């Protein structure tokens, strides 16, 4: 686990809050994983870094006051290695073991932010480990546990925009990790979770950010590639609602419904994790 702390901040307009982003591509793109956290210290797990980036993860954070005035961002680079000599089925097993311990701890904490952060990191790990692992049953079991945990946590009340984006990215990652051979039971569970999260996001009154919309479309497209009939139609309707509600184009010059219907996924691989100052 990593602990990130912002120190030395003083502002009369308290309380202060912490927002965090991470990048696994050397800082070229970031994903928000924590928004307006009411403590200036945060402990979380991180996904594996990418081998071609020397396993580095760039963590960027900023502090806000009561009225949203923000500090300049501060960054730190940490290394998050894969387990030694782990690949294929062994890597899936390592992710499974991490999920069993960390998801339970997050559930016991009762902190929605912690649940989303842990699930996000595990979703990234599973996405890395699941492809070509030959362990489809184990991958689906871990993916199902992640979805169940997120669904229970997010149904308890309002969530921040950062948590919405992280949850959407996590759903996309675990759906892609299971591949087209996942069971119908998992497809229906994932579809229900995404549908509920879309409704919650659109019902928050804050609209939906473009990055969150991209994550939803990626997850729905992955579902549609293996779904059919009424399930696919429900997902298609959800994509249309995203198109109508998201601020800005999901992909410049493209209609997300067209992208999904042709399974022409051209989204960048965006991570979901956590930061230090």
């Amino acid at each position: 686990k990593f602990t990130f702390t912002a120190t030395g901040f003083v502002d009369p307009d308290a309380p202060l809050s912490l927002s965090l982003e991470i990048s696994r591509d050397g800082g070229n793109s970031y994903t928000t994983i924590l928004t307006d956290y009411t403590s200036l210290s945060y402990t979380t797990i991180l996904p594996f870094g990418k081998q071609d980036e020397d396993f580095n993860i760039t963590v960027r954070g900023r502090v806000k006051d009561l009225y949203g005035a923000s500090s300049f961002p501060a960054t730190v680079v940490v290394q998050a290695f894969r387990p030694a000599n782990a690949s294929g089925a062994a890597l899936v097993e390592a992710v499974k073991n991490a999920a069993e311990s960390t998801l339970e701890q997050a559930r016991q904490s009762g902190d929605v932010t912690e649940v989303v952060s842990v699930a996000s990191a595990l979703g990234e790990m599973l996405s890395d480990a699941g492809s070509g692992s030959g362990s489809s049953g184990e991958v689906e079991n871990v993916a199902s546990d992640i979805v169940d945990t997120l669904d229970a946590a997010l149904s308890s009340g309002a969530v921040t925009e950062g948590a919405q984006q992280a949850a959407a990215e996590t759903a996309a990652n675990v759906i892609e990790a299971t591949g087209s051979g996942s069971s119908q039971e998992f497809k229906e569970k994932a579809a229900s979770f995404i549908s509920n999260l879309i409704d919650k996001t659109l019902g928050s009154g804050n609209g939906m950010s473009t990055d969150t919309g991209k994550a939803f479309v990626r997850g729905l497209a992955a579902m549609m590639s293996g779904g059919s009939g009424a399930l696919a139609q429900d997902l298609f309707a959800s994509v249309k609602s995203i198109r109508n509600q998201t601020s800005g184009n999901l992909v410049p010059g493209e209609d997300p419904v067209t992208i999904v219907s042709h399974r022409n996924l051209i989204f960048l691989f965006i991570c979901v994790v956590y930061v230090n100052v």
Side-chain angles (χ1 to χ4, degrees), residues 158-233:
V159 294
T160 64
E161 181 179 316
Q164 292 165 0
Q165 181 184 335
E169 289 283 355
T170 302
N173 282 331
V174 299
I175 291 166
E176 290 177 346
T178 59
S180 59
S182 61
S183 68
Q184 186 66 17
E185 180 182 1
F186 177 75
K187 287 185 176 72
E188 291 175 356
K189 176 185 293 188
S192 175
F193 171 69
I194 290 179
S195 179
N196 290 340
L197 186 55
I198 288 172
D199 290 344
K200 191 175 189 68
T201 301
L202 296 180
S204 66
N206 298 321
M208 181 187 293
S209 72
T210 299
D211 286 338
T212 302
K214 286 180 181 178
F216 277 130
V217 170
R218 184 160 66 89
L220 291 171
M223 287 295 300
M224 287 188 71
S225 68
S228 60
L231 176 60
Q233 290 301 315

